[in-house]
Amino acid sequence: MHYLYVFIMLIWLVGCGEPDLPKDQYNLEECREELLNAEDYSPGDSIDKIIVIKKERKMYLYRDNKVVNTLPVSLGKNPVGHKQQQGDNKTPEGEFFIHRKLCSPKYYRSLCISYPRPEDKASAAKRGVSPGGAVTLHGQPAWNADGKGDSYTLSQNWTQGCVAVTNSAMKELWYAVREGVPIVIR
């Protein structure tokens, strides 16, 4: 009888949770399905411009030249100044655009920013360094998927040069922003 109990408990433990999904990653199935079915945009809530003011650690969302929402953000660990090279942990400054949506296993969902621009590449080449890349506007790390750590993550600059918002804010942005939307970071 004792072995039967142990066997049932073992089956129950093995059968729980999401199979083959590391605890430090998000399940991407829903996100990928939305992208494949073009269900990742809601025109009624559209945002047509994003401005990030680094010294305020705020993001301003615009529709028809009017601010419709303001969000707190986290930036790169070394937030002052323009990104110069890969690994400097700076968030780039300038005029960019959202060039792609990405289902992110580590940061929920991401809006890819068009950095580096040709001038960033040329400047880095003159100095013999890589300008870096893969700068995104993204959600929270998987350990904060439930948002209970938002006050902690938003009180610090912790990214490697990206702009981070809460997952609830990222979900709203996901449906409100299309590729091509300008983003100004200053």
Side-chain angles (χ1 to χ4, degrees), residues 31-97:
C31 178
R32 288 181 178 152
E33 190 172 313
E34 285 179 0
L35 286 175
L36 286 172
N37 296 326
E39 297 170 348
D40 60 315
Y41 178 68
S42 175
D45 300 321
S46 67
I47 298 300
D48 53 35
K49 186 174 188 178
I50 301 168
I51 297 181
V52 176
I53 307 296
K54 289 169 58 171
K55 68 180 176 184
E56 295 177 11
R57 298 185 58 226
K58 298 242 186 250
M59 176 187 305
Y60 298 89
L61 306 177
Y62 288 79
R63 182 181 313 122
D64 299 323
N65 292 317
K66 294 179 184 153
V67 175
V68 295
N69 200 356
T70 303
L71 302 170
V73 299
S74 296
L75 303 166
K77 293 179 238 179
N78 186 15
V80 178
H82 177 57
K83 184 165 194 64
Q84 299 294 312
Q85 66 185 53
Q86 183 173 346
D88 66 7
N89 292 318
K90 290 179 181 262
T91 301
E93 296 176 349
E95 295 182 8
F96 307 95
F97 62 92

Side-chain angles (χ1 to χ4, degrees), residues 22-33:
K23 290 182 179 184
D24 65 342
Q25 293 190 355
Y26 286 97
N27 184 334
L28 304 180
E29 195 172 312
E30 177 187 0
C31 178
R32 288 181 178 152
E33 190 172 313

Side-chain angles (χ1 to χ4, degrees), residues 26-36 40 100-112 136 138 170 174:
Y26 286 97
N27 184 334
L28 304 180
E29 195 172 312
E30 177 187 0
C31 178
R32 288 181 178 152
E33 190 172 313
E34 285 179 0
L35 286 175
L36 286 172
D40 60 315
R100 180 176 163 211
K101 290 185 174 183
L102 179 67
C103 302
S104 174
K106 290 190 176 186
Y107 300 112
Y108 183 52
R109 297 177 182 197
S110 300
L111 302 175
C112 300
T136 66
H138 63 67
M170 189 66 236
W174 186 259

Side-chain angles (χ1 to χ4, degrees), residues 24 26 106-108 138-146 153 158 164 167:
D24 65 342
Y26 286 97
K106 290 190 176 186
Y107 300 112
Y108 183 52
H138 63 67
Q140 296 291 302
W143 66 263
N144 189 28
D146 60 6
T153 60
W158 55 270
N167 284 354

